[in-house]
Amino acid sequence: MPPTVRNPTFLTGLVLLLTRCAFAATCSSTFVALPSAILGPHVYLTTVDSADAICKRKGFSKAGSVRTSTLSAVGLSMPAIRVRNLEILKSGATKILVAVECLKPGQKACTADGNGNIGSGNKGKNNFGAKNVGNNNIGNSNVGNANWGNNNEGNPHHRPRGRATIEFSNPVDGKVAVKVVLTTDGYVPYTITADLYSASFDNLLELTALGSISGSV
């Protein structure tokens, strides 16, 4: 029986289609972590509205996604600068860039993968940048969890500055509801862990976790 010959035009079109689809799914953005600016002898962090200016000064067309925080949450003894007019801001509530995605002309911003990672080469969850190994890293080539910047190793977790209070309800059927309230200074944490130890409370027979974590900004 003679061999079956498939339509070569169809096969060529299929290969090209698959190749283009694979290429389109690749994220090739550049991520700039903790962008700063030098004015005179001083180094400044940069305000949120400086994202486009930062990227353009590095030869890109515009900014894509960003990650932000505040001066007080970062905890560094340095003010911020608004790049467009060189305004210096010292308030702890000033919103600054932790990282910015820079795009070339015509390039689209990266989208999150199935693990919430935005960027290329990340292994873990909810990373923003490139080549991070771990979770919740912002920047590039970090190993660990919740690192900000580049080439960090460890698990700093960036614990927010603020205060925590414990509120007790009136007893109902022999039970007392305990609510832990965490107030941070302009910082939205990724995770919150509250531990209550029975040894800290007299006559406590049972500790049961009820409800869920809620928050507001």
Side-chain angles (χ1 to χ4, degrees):
M1 177 182 294
T4 302
V5 178
R6 299 182 182 272
N7 187 328
T9 303
F10 172 77
L11 290 176
T12 302
L14 179 61
V15 171
L16 288 176
L17 177 62
L18 292 176
T19 302
R20 288 176 181 174
C21 289
F23 179 77
T26 301
C27 171
S28 57
S29 298
T30 296
F31 293 84
V32 181
L34 295 175
S36 59
I38 299 175
L39 182 62
H42 302 292
V43 179
Y44 301 91
L45 296 172
T46 53
T47 58
V48 171
D49 54 5
S50 299
D52 280 332
I54 291 294
C55 289
K56 289 179 179 179
R57 286 173 180 252
K58 292 183 175 295
F60 295 91
S61 174
K62 62 179 180 179
S65 301
V66 299
R67 291 294 182 270
T68 66
S69 186
T70 63
L71 279 176
S72 61
V74 171
L76 299 177
S77 58
M78 56 193 302
I81 188 170
R82 180 169 284 117
V83 175
R84 71 167 183 267
N85 59 6
L86 304 183
E87 179 185 1
I88 307 300
L89 299 100
K90 298 181 179 180
S91 169
T94 302
K95 290 188 175 182
I96 56 97
L97 291 167
V98 177
V100 55
E101 175 189 18
C102 292
L103 306 173
K104 298 177 181 178
Q107 186 179 19
K108 294 183 178 181
C110 296
T111 57
D113 62 16
N115 290 318
N117 296 305
I118 296 179
S120 61
N122 293 301
K123 297 179 180 180
K125 295 182 178 180
N126 302 319
N127 294 294
F128 183 84
K131 299 181 180 179
N132 295 293
V133 179
N135 304 319
N136 302 318
N137 294 293
I138 301 177
N140 305 289
S141 301
N142 296 296
V143 178
N145 300 310
N147 291 290
W148 291 359
N150 301 320
N151 302 306
N152 296 294
E153 293 187 8
N155 302 284
H157 292 299
H158 292 281
R159 299 184 185 275
R161 295 182 177 184
R163 62 187 183 277
T165 59
I166 301 178
E167 300 177 1
F168 299 90
S169 71
N170 293 322
V172 177
D173 296 330
K175 298 179 180 180
V176 176
V178 180
K179 180 169 67 174
V180 179
V181 179
L182 174 65
T183 303
T184 64
D185 300 327
Y187 183 91
V188 181
Y190 287 105
T191 58
I192 298 175
T193 302
D195 296 319
L196 292 177
Y197 298 96
S198 59
S200 302
F201 302 94
D202 295 333
N203 302 320
L204 179 66
L205 300 179
E206 183 179 358
L207 184 63
T208 304
L210 298 174
S212 60
I213 294 176
S214 62
S216 60
V217 179

